[in-house]
C-alpha cells in the first residue's frame, strides 16, 4: 500500500544549486501535505506544508509545489547547502476534521549536498 | 524553540516483557501521537490522542498497546508483552489546534526499542 511514493531513494546536488525532491500520491482524499527533514538519530523535523487549496507555498529557501491534477508535489531547495544533507520525507493527511492527524509517509529521499 | 522530548533514547527488553515509552509533548499542544519506524521501512502512524482519549488508531495498535496521559505533561506508550517485531524507532509527536486541523506535527527524537 504505497499511497505516498517517493521514487528517488537518493539525490546528490552541488552546493549552491537547486535540489528538487519529488513525491506522488494516490489517495484523492489527501488535502494537506508536509515535508519533513530527518537527520540520523533524530526525529523528523517539520519543514514546510501546503494545503490542497494552494499550488505553491514558500518559506525562505524552501518552496513546495502541488499539482493536484497530477497528484504530485515537489520540494525545491534553493540554494542547496551542505547542512541540507538529510533524508526528506513527504507526508500527507486526508481531511477528517480537526485533531485527526493520521499522516501517511513516503519512504524518503536521501539528499546529499556536495560542497 | 519548544520541543518534544522522549525518554529513554534506547530501550532493550526481552520478548514478553512490558515496556513504557515516555514523552513530554510541547506544553501548549493538545493533540498527541505515536508513530513508529521499523528499520528500513516507512514511518507509520500508531495512535492519536486528544482530550484524554484515543481519537484514532491504526491496525498496528492492537490490544497489546495502550497510551496514557498520567499528568499534565507526560504522554506514554505501553507495550504489554513485547514481540521481536515490535523492535523499531518509536516517535512521539504533538500538534496545536487551529488552522482548521492543518497544523504540523512536531516530533521527538525517538526511542529505539530493541526486543531480544
Amino acid at each position: 500500500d504505497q499511497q505516498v511514493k517517493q521514487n528517488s531513494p537518493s539525490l546528490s546536488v552541488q552546493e549552491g544549486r537547486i535540489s528538487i525532491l519529488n513525491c506522488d500520491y494516490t489517495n484523492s482524499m489527501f488535502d494537506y501535505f508536509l515535508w519533513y527533514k530527518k537527520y540520523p538519530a533524530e526525529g523528523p523535523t517539520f519543514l514546510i506544508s501546503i494545503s490542497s487549496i494552494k499550488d505553491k507555498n514558500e518559506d525562505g529557501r524552501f518552496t513546495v509545489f502541488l499539482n493536484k491534477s497530477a497528484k504530485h508535489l515537489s520540494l525545491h531547495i534553493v540554494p542547496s547547502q551542505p547542512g541540507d544533507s538529510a533524508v526528506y520525507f513527504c507526508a500527507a493527511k486526508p481531511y477528517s476534521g480537526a485533531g485527526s492527524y493520521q499522516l501517511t509517509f513516503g519512504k524518503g529521499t536521501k539528499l546529499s549536498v556536495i560542497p | 524553540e519548544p520541543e518534544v522530548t522522549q525518554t529513554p533514547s534506547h530501550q532493550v527488553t526481552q520478548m514478553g516483557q512490558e515496556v513504557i515509552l515516555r514523552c513530554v509533548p510541547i506544553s501548549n499542544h493538545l493533540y498527541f501521537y505515536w508513530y513508529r519506524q521499523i528499520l528500513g521501512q516507512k514511518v507509520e502512524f500508531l495512535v492519536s490522542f486528544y482530550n484524554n482519549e484515543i481519537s484514532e488508531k491504526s491496525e498496528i495498535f492492537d490490544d497489546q498497546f495502550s497510551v496514557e496521559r498520567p499528568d499534565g505533561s507526560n504522554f506514554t506508550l505501553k507495550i504489554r508483552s513485547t514481540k521481536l517485531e515490535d523492535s523499531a524507532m518509536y516517535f512521539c509527536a504533538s500538534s496545536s489546534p487551529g488552522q482548521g486541523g492543518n497544523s504540523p506535527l512536531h516530533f521527538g527524537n525517538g526511542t529505539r526499542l530493541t526486543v531480544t
Side-chain angles (χ1 to χ4, degrees):
Chain A
D1 175 18
Q2 284 204 70
Q3 295 187 63
V4 177
K5 302 178 191 178
Q6 292 178 258
N7 291 320
S8 299
S10 64
L11 175 69
S12 288
V13 171
Q14 207 72 32
E15 180 179 4
R17 306 294 287 268
I18 184 171
S19 295
I20 300 176
L21 297 106
N22 293 302
C23 179
D24 297 294
Y25 62 96
T26 58
N27 189 338
S28 301
M29 297 301 291
F30 288 149
D31 79 333
Y32 186 55
F33 304 89
L34 308 91
W35 283 95
Y36 283 85
K37 176 172 76 172
K38 187 179 180 305
Y39 295 118
E42 293 186 11
T45 301
F46 170 71
L47 272 178
I48 192 167
S49 63
I50 188 165
S51 166
S52 60
I53 61 173
K54 294 186 175 181
D55 54 19
K56 177 182 173 181
N57 189 26
E58 195 171 347
D59 183 3
R61 295 186 299 115
F62 303 93
T63 303
V64 56
F65 295 92
L66 174 63
N67 182 334
K68 282 183 63 179
S69 61
K71 293 191 176 68
H72 177 83
L73 63 154
S74 60
L75 174 69
H76 292 209
I77 307 173
V78 182
S80 302
Q81 300 172 354
D84 295 330
S85 297
V87 177
Y88 288 77
F89 292 98
C90 171
K93 73 174 273 287
Y95 176 77
S96 48
S100 175
Y101 232 115
Q102 187 169 157
L103 286 180
T104 301
F105 281 83
K107 287 188 173 181
T109 297
K110 184 176 182 180
L111 174 66
S112 300
V113 180
I114 304 159
Chain B
E1 186 176 323
E3 57 180 28
V4 176
T5 56
Q6 291 185 243
T7 55
S9 56
H10 191 187
Q11 174 91 46
V12 181
T13 189
Q14 286 193 325
M15 196 166 54
Q17 296 296 303
E18 174 183 287
V19 293
I20 297 177
L21 309 183
R22 302 180 191 279
C23 170
V24 178
I26 294 173
S27 60
N28 64 341
H29 285 183
L30 299 180
Y31 302 95
F32 314 115
Y33 316 85
W34 285 99
Y35 284 74
R36 79 173 185 190
Q37 185 179 27
I38 294 171
L39 188 64
Q41 297 187 24
K42 291 184 179 184
V43 177
E44 302 173 291
F45 169 79
L46 291 178
V47 66
S48 61
F49 190 87
Y50 169 69
N51 201 25
N52 280 321
E53 60 182 25
I54 291 172
S55 48
E56 275 185 306
K57 59 182 182 178
S58 70
E59 293 176 353
I60 304 167
F61 195 87
D62 61 22
D63 291 345
Q64 70 160 341
F65 290 91
S66 62
V67 290
E68 194 179 25
R69 187 153 164 84
D71 53 42
S73 59
N74 292 282
F75 180 51
T76 62
L77 174 70
K78 181 193 291 185
I79 309 174
R80 288 190 185 79
S81 177
T82 51
K83 304 171 190 167
L84 294 176
E85 54 265 36
D86 294 327
S87 295
M89 192 72 143
Y90 288 81
F91 294 106
C92 174
S94 67
S95 68
S96 62
Q99 299 183 35
N102 287 344
S103 56
L105 266 69
H106 296 268
F107 286 85
N109 282 337
T111 293
R112 179 168 297 285
L113 177 65
T114 302
V115 182
T116 62

